[in-house]
Structure formats: structure tokens, C-alpha cells
Amino acid sequence: MASRRIISSEKGVLEKDDASTFSPAASEESNIAPAVPPGVIFKLLAFTFAMVVFPIGSYFATVNTIFRGNSTFAGATAAVVANVVLIGYVIVAMKEDQSERLEAEEKARKSK
């Protein structure tokens, strides 16, 4: 296995990178806020739970009670319920995006 030798001019560049990333000034500027707000994570987890539980629950709830053992219709019902949950998630995400945009526009108006 061949190894690569570092040329002396490359050592200077590498040392600069190491010094700048570990300097105290760089750590003071860091932002430790979460990248995704907790509300968004909660909504994602809630819709994930709904996407798993509601279609499966609707299948087993309807296969013997409403459709009298016909698993094709019960499966179709489960597919419809899964699509309803998915459409609900898209609508909630779009409304959340619109509200963030409106808040940003309102802040821009107030700052003028």
C-alpha cells in the first residue's frame, strides 16, 4: 500500500486549517440552536404514528365488521386512509410554510 508524502507547502495549509477550527474565537460564533424546531419534529412523529396505526387499524376494523371477510375491500380502505393521512400531512406542512412566510413579511414591515 502506497502512502502519500505531505509537501512542506501543504503542511502550512493544514496547520492553518487546524488552528482556525480549534480557536476559541470560532467556538464563540457557533450557534447551538437546533436545526429543526421541536414543533416540526413533533408533527412529523405524530403523522408517522398515524401513517402506521390508522391504515392497519382501519384494515383490521373493517375486514370482519363492515366487509364480512373481504380483504380486498378492507385493503382498499386501508389505502384510502393512508392517502388521507398523507394529504393531511402535506396540508399541515403547507400551512406551516405559509405562516412562516407571513411572519417574515410582518417582521420586515415592522422594521421599516
Side-chain angles (χ1 to χ4, degrees), residues 17-96:
D17 285 342
D18 290 339
S20 66
T21 57
F22 295 114
S23 68
S27 65
E28 290 174 6
E29 296 173 6
S30 69
N31 184 3
I32 59 170
V36 179
V40 173
I41 294 173
F42 175 73
K43 288 177 191 173
L44 179 64
L45 289 176
F47 276 99
T48 301
F49 177 77
M51 194 67 180
V52 171
V53 172
F54 291 169
I56 295 172
S58 67
Y59 173 81
F60 285 110
T62 60
V63 71
N64 289 323
T65 57
I66 296 174
F67 299 119
R68 303 190 202 296
N70 189 345
S71 61
T72 303
F73 290 144
T77 303
V80 169
V81 170
N83 283 312
V84 167
V85 172
L86 183 63
I87 291 169
Y89 178 72
V90 169
I91 290 171
V92 168
M94 287 176 62
K95 285 188 176 187
E96 181 178 326

